[in-house]
Amino acid sequence: MVTPATHSKEEIFGLLATIHDPEIPVVTIQEMGMLRDVILTETGCDVIITPTYTGCPAMGIIEHDILQLLHESGIKEVRVTTSYSPSWTTDWMTAATKEKLKNYGIAAPIHSSCVNWLQPKSLIISCPRCHSSDTALISQFGSTACKALYSCTSCKEPFEYFKCH
Amino acid sequence: MTQQEALFKYTLRLGDNALIQGHRLSEWCSKGPILEEDLALTNIALDNIGLAQAFLKYAAAIEGNDKTEDDLAYKRAERQFYNNQITELPIGDFAVTIAKQLLISTFEVQLFTALSKSTDETIAGIAAKGLKESRYHFVHSRDWCFRLGEGTEVSHAKLQQAFNELWPYTGELFEMVEEDNILLVAGIAADLSELHPIWKATVATVLKEATIQMPEDSYMHTGSRNGIHTEHLGHILAEMQYLQRAYPDATW
């Protein structure tokens, strides 16, 4: 079968790697681990993405951004598919991604193997601003599905923590 | 019943439970006792709606006929919903919501742990995601049970009453019917009779620490496996489905 694809898989990945997370604009969907695969088809491609949280409202916007970008790049038929398996985990974030989150003011997720989900208050989360580990959990639910609310006892500033998932 | 029909009905039940529960919880939006709780309850509602979308999308794919998850959510009548009755009960006061959340999220943690090992890849994938989310829901309601149970006389009394009133709706969570048995053989469904003692032990541990008396098993409500509901589901659907009923297929 001859594939009249105008772009290679790597090129499409390269394009998609420029799409930013609509809710955390300092990181891309690739850095977040939401971009899972690209499958070339005869007339275009299938893009496989996975949600961070099932109800994540950013998914609709991300799908729209993918379609728009690839159409503008001349890829005619694009299908975006959401896959739940394997289930997304914050462990897929690289150290560089976590550093970006921290610089943006969001404490980065701790590796899942170090988290006892039954005892969230036992986690020591450092303040992304003053780096103090003297912080307190306010609520496990914050401004978006993926973040918890903390306050720093040292610099007195509130901050968000990207929950381990 | 063929295995395909069983899978459709089973997936619908998973989706309906999440949908009705999420719809109910969303009623707390802007009415939470404190800002953090307003955010917490609506975040949990959002998780539920997301889970409902995933399960109903799969149910629609099983049914075929180009149906979507929205058709299933907005165009089915009351008797075609299979959510457990406890999910449709009114949110009540904060103690009722917390008690309900504890009973349901404890069940979900067990259910999704089992379903994440399902031989059906789609159900296993969605359940694995739901498991991570329901753990947060469990911790949230557990910690509030401790605070209300050991809080004031009033908060203790209200939480105790909430558990007493909700208890007769917990039997239904573990009812197994034809579709469960068909899918259990195929390794797709969870064995609810195995989950029951684990659920009960977990709830008992939380209630003990919250100084709340564990209600005794007596009369248990039933019917949702056959589409029989309390008077409350019809009212939920009237509100939830109004737009699609009045303006079919409206989009914006």
Side-chain angles (χ1 to χ4, degrees):
Chain A
M1 188 177 71
V2 182
T3 307
T6 49
H7 296 71
S8 69
K9 187 172 168 168
E10 288 69 30
E11 281 170 330
I12 295 173
F13 257 115
L15 287 169
L16 295 175
T18 63
I19 295 178
H20 288 258
D21 183 314
E23 281 176 345
I24 311 169
V26 287
V27 292
T28 67
I29 57 168
Q30 189 185 39
E31 288 170 325
M32 287 289 288
M34 293 154 90
L35 181 59
R36 301 309 300 159
D37 204 1
V38 171
I39 299 160
L40 296 180
T41 59
E42 275 188 63
T43 48
C45 67
D46 286 349
V47 179
I48 319 289
I49 54 173
T50 191
T52 53
Y53 278 69
T54 51
C56 178
M59 294 310 285
I61 302 166
I62 290 169
E63 186 173 338
H64 172 265
D65 288 350
I66 291 173
L67 292 173
Q68 191 178 11
L69 178 74
L70 296 186
H71 283 157
E72 283 170 5
S73 307
I75 301 164
K76 279 187 192 129
E77 284 183 31
V78 181
R79 195 170 57 177
V80 180
T81 310
T82 303
S83 166
Y84 290 92
S85 186
S87 186
W88 180 83
T89 164
T90 42
D91 298 342
W92 290 344
M93 285 185 198
T94 62
T97 307
K98 290 182 179 180
E99 191 63 26
K100 282 188 186 178
L101 285 179
K102 202 176 112 189
N103 293 336
Y104 187 60
I106 301 170
I110 288 175
H111 196 275
S112 64
S113 59
C114 308
V115 175
N116 174 0
W117 64 273
L118 283 167
Q119 302 300 339
K121 282 177 187 156
S122 67
L123 272 187
I124 297 169
I125 308 298
S126 297
C127 171
R129 292 190 182 82
C130 74
H131 314 299
S132 164
S133 54
D134 192 8
T135 60
L137 173 65
I138 298 173
S139 172
Q140 289 231 83
F141 299 90
S143 61
T144 64
C146 53
K147 285 175 283 177
L149 285 176
Y150 277 77
S151 76
C152 177
T153 315
S154 297
C155 72
K156 312 288 180 201
E157 287 288 329
F159 67 91
E160 291 186 304
Y161 163 62
F162 202 113
K163 283 187 277 193
C164 164
H165 207 59
Chain B
M1 190 184 276
T2 65
Q3 186 171 318
Q4 186 83 350
E5 287 162 352
L7 186 61
F8 174 64
K9 214 173 157 201
Y10 190 77
T11 312
L12 264 189
R13 189 204 300 169
L14 293 168
D16 289 348
N17 275 321
L19 179 67
I20 301 304
Q21 197 188 336
H23 190 83
R24 266 295 183 227
L25 271 185
S26 71
E27 290 174 23
W28 279 104
C29 189
S30 81
K31 296 187 186 115
I34 50 173
L35 182 60
E36 287 78 7
E37 264 325 286
D38 208 299
L39 283 174
L41 293 172
T42 45
N43 260 300
I44 296 171
L46 182 66
D47 288 344
N48 288 332
I49 303 286
L51 200 65
Q53 189 182 23
F55 278 129
L56 292 181
K57 194 172 187 169
Y58 185 44
I62 297 164
E63 194 183 21
N65 317 328
D66 288 328
K67 282 206 178 160
T68 69
E69 62 271 30
D70 285 347
D71 291 321
L72 291 174
Y74 298 124
K75 293 175 184 170
R76 273 180 304 146
E78 198 183 339
R79 288 292 300 266
Q80 295 164 309
F81 272 77
Y82 299 108
N83 57 288
N84 294 306
Q85 290 178 358
I86 192 170
T87 61
E88 72 209 31
L89 297 178
I91 49 171
D93 61 19
F94 188 63
V96 171
T97 289
I98 289 302
K100 203 169 146 181
Q101 280 302 110
L102 182 85
L103 297 170
I104 295 174
S105 64
T106 306
F107 172 69
E108 284 179 339
V109 169
Q110 306 301 339
L111 177 71
F112 295 146
T113 300
L115 287 183
S116 60
K117 295 169 203 126
S118 171
T119 54
D120 183 296
E121 252 183 52
T122 308
I123 287 184
I126 302 169
K129 182 111 281 211
L131 173 61
K132 292 181 184 184
E133 295 173 359
S134 59
R135 283 172 174 169
Y136 283 105
H137 306 170
F138 169 76
V139 168
H140 169 262
S141 54
R142 178 200 64 183
D143 289 356
W144 269 110
C145 280
F146 296 161
R147 287 175 74 173
L148 296 177
E150 297 180 287
T152 64
E153 259 179 51
V154 175
S155 69
H156 180 276
K158 284 197 171 195
L159 189 64
Q160 181 69 63
Q161 196 189 341
F163 275 108
N164 294 348
E165 284 173 8
L166 291 169
W167 201 256
Y169 291 92
T170 57
E172 211 184 36
L173 297 171
F174 305 96
E175 277 180 15
M176 293 185 70
V177 288
E178 195 183 355
E179 59 266 25
D180 295 74
N181 296 323
I182 292 172
L183 298 178
L184 190 61
V185 174
I188 294 171
D191 189 344
L192 299 176
S193 61
E194 264 182 25
L195 302 187
H196 197 188
I198 311 171
W199 173 86
K200 211 168 169 179
T202 311
V203 171
T205 309
V206 175
L207 294 197
K208 194 178 174 208
E209 199 170 334
T211 68
I212 295 291
Q213 198 94 36
M214 182 103 160
E216 283 187 18
D217 287 343
S218 55
Y219 174 76
M220 290 288 178
H221 292 278
T222 183
S224 72
R225 298 286 188 270
N226 297 314
I228 309 284
H229 292 277
T230 66
E231 66 182 288
H232 306 292
L233 183 66
H235 293 279
I236 294 177
L237 297 185
E239 189 183 338
M240 189 174 80
Q241 298 182 333
Y242 169 77
L243 199 117
Q244 284 298 325
R245 298 284 191 184
Y247 305 96
D249 304 320
T251 57
W252 61 90

